[in-house]
Amino acid sequence: MKENKLNYKLINITALMLLLYITVSNIGTWWNILGRVIQIILPFIISFTVAYALTPVVNYLIKKGLPKWLAVLIIVLVIVFIIIFMLFQILPLVYDQMKSLDSNIAKVINGLSNRFNLNLDPVESDVNSSINDITKSIGNMISEGTNTVINKSVSGLGNFIVAFVASIYFLAYMDKIRGAFKSFLEARGKKSFNYVKALDKELGNYIKGLFIFMIIEFLEYSILLKIVGHPNWLVLSILAGLLTVVPYFGGLIANLIALLLASVTTPFTFLGTLIICAVFPQIDGYFTTPKVYGKTNNINPLITIMAVSVGGTLAGPIGIIAALPIYILIRTTYNFFKKDLKKEVKTLKDTI
């Protein structure tokens, strides 16, 4: 008589299905835990990204003959100067322009309501409420002093200090961090090292290009909109710089807002804004972007739009921002292991 034996394959499948059921049934809990973990490590992710993007600047200064400590100190002092300049020079100007932005948006909405016979009062109320909240926050930061701001935003200030200190640390020891990681990967095999090296090149080009492109967009729009006399030139140039993280859609949104606000000003300002919004996105698309990002990060526009759409659907604003880096990671991984994948598929076909 044949002895009964345990069917380990059936047991493994059952255990896997049970684990899958527990995971799916508690997806809300896992999502909350993931959110908390991301919230904790986010300052370190931001600081490492900043240090990673600024490392080429440190290396450039070192090649020019400066000692490393002095190169890092110069960059830190420049960042501190920019922050102080933003707080005491740019912030009051943004506050003044936000107040005028409120009245200009009201004029635009009223004009659309009258022309197309639409009831846009709820939209106007929501927009004005949001702008008033932002303006009030900026006004409090300017008028109530540093102590009040610190008391009201201890958590935010703490995260900022952690991120700033961590950025300095990562910037100072980035070569050692990269060296240790390189040794770890080489010990695991040449394939792993070359794979991470490929990721480092592609994602590094994207991150550095994004920072440079943000600065270019801010300077470009601030100068041009100031020349044509746009009343909200500073707010819009900051918006244009920040929205570069959203390919195609970000620039379109910034230009549309600029045109709508210019429509309630002088004909010269509106015409100048229209020319800027029509001409310079083409220059950026065909000249600036390829020069900044290089050929390695050229992505098909259709794929970019699909990636942004999927990212926004799955994770909202964070998904929109992370869509392209994740796509670059997936594309680089596929291109690197493409030959191995084809070989495995061929072996599987031969086996079948």
Side-chain angles (χ1 to χ4, degrees), residues 51-124:
Y52 184 82
L54 292 175
T55 296
V57 183
V58 174
N59 294 335
Y60 174 80
L61 294 176
I62 292 174
K63 288 180 181 179
K64 291 297 181 180
L66 295 179
K68 184 177 180 180
W69 68 268
L70 183 57
V72 173
L73 179 62
I74 289 174
I75 292 175
V76 171
L77 290 177
V78 169
I79 294 173
V80 171
F81 172 78
I82 292 173
I83 292 173
I84 294 174
F85 180 77
M86 291 283 290
L87 288 175
F88 293 99
Q89 297 295 325
I90 301 297
L91 204 60
L93 189 55
V94 170
Y95 175 74
D96 293 335
Q97 291 197 13
M98 287 297 292
K99 289 194 296 185
S100 67
L101 180 65
D102 189 13
S103 60
N104 286 340
I105 287 180
K107 292 179 183 177
V108 171
I109 293 176
N110 289 332
L112 291 173
S113 299
N114 296 331
R115 180 171 298 180
F116 298 103
N117 195 23
L118 298 172
N119 181 19
L120 298 177
D121 290 340
V123 176
E124 182 178 358

Side-chain angles (χ1 to χ4, degrees), residues 216-341:
I216 291 174
E217 288 290 284
F218 169 74
L219 294 176
E220 178 181 287
Y221 277 86
S222 60
I223 293 172
L224 293 172
L225 292 176
K226 177 68 173 176
I227 289 174
V228 300
H230 201 295
N232 307 109
W233 62 272
L234 182 58
V235 173
L236 291 170
S237 60
I238 293 173
L239 184 65
L242 294 176
L243 286 178
T244 54
V245 299
V246 185
Y248 300 107
F249 299 108
L252 182 63
I253 292 170
N255 289 335
L256 182 60
I257 295 174
L259 282 171
L260 287 173
L261 294 175
S263 66
V264 295
T265 60
T266 64
F268 172 78
T269 299
F270 178 75
L271 181 61
T273 304
L274 181 61
I275 293 173
I276 292 170
C277 294
V279 174
F280 281 88
Q282 308 305 318
I283 296 175
D284 292 335
Y286 290 101
F287 178 76
T288 308
T289 301
K291 287 290 183 181
V292 170
Y293 287 106
K295 295 181 179 179
T296 55
N297 282 157
N298 279 344
I299 302 173
N300 187 289
L302 182 59
I303 294 177
T304 301
I305 293 171
M306 290 176 61
V308 170
S309 177
V310 171
T313 302
L314 295 177
I318 295 177
I320 292 173
I321 295 172
L324 273 191
I326 292 174
Y327 170 74
I328 291 172
L329 188 150
I330 295 172
R331 185 184 67 174
T332 304
T333 302
Y334 172 73
N335 289 336
F336 187 84
F337 292 105
K338 184 164 54 177
K339 292 183 179 179
D340 294 336
L341 289 172

Side-chain angles (χ1 to χ4, degrees), residues 179-189:
F181 194 53
K182 177 182 177 181
S183 300
F184 170 77
L185 291 172
E186 287 178 335
R188 292 181 61 86

Side-chain angles (χ1 to χ4, degrees), residues 52 185 191-205 296-297 328-329 331-333 335-337:
Y52 184 82
L185 291 172
K191 190 89 173 177
S192 299
F193 172 72
N194 289 334
Y195 168 61
V196 176
K197 186 177 179 181
L199 285 180
D200 177 64
K201 179 182 177 182
E202 295 289 336
L203 291 175
N205 286 342
T296 55
N297 282 157
I328 291 172
L329 188 150
R331 185 184 67 174
T332 304
T333 302
N335 289 336
F336 187 84
F337 292 105

